[in-house]
Amino acid sequence: MKKKLDTRFPAVRIKKIMQTDEDVGKIAMAVPVLVSKALELFLQDLVDRTYDITVHRGAKTVNSLHL
């Protein structure tokens, strides 16, 4: 039984982007799903850290200096 992994980024679109590189051959469908999940986790971590820095500095808005 296969378990569907819910991701926020479309795996089909990621696969198309990966295939635009001429050095990339065949891509298993699991790879774009994993890349999608990794991207989601990376962005969540980036947002969490940016929020912490913004709160620590007492700012009311997020700007590029908080990244």
Side-chain angles (χ1 to χ4, degrees):
M1 184 165 87
K2 291 184 179 180
K3 181 181 175 186
K4 182 172 170 123
L5 185 64
D6 291 329
T7 58
R8 295 181 186 263
F9 301 98
V12 175
R13 180 70 179 130
I14 291 173
K15 185 173 182 175
K16 285 181 183 178
I17 291 170
M18 292 173 74
Q19 287 176 334
T20 59
D21 187 352
E22 55 194 41
D23 294 335
V24 175
K26 291 184 178 180
I27 301 171
M29 199 54 213
V31 174
V33 172
L34 293 174
V35 169
S36 175
K37 190 62 177 178
L39 177 60
E40 182 179 336
L41 293 173
F42 169 74
L43 288 176
Q44 184 63 50
D45 184 58
L46 181 66
V47 169
D48 289 343
R49 289 179 187 215
T50 302
Y51 173 76
D52 291 341
I53 291 170
T54 304
V55 169
H56 177 73
R57 291 185 178 176
K60 293 184 179 181
T61 58
V62 176
N63 63 35
S64 62
L65 296 175
H66 297 133
L67 297 173

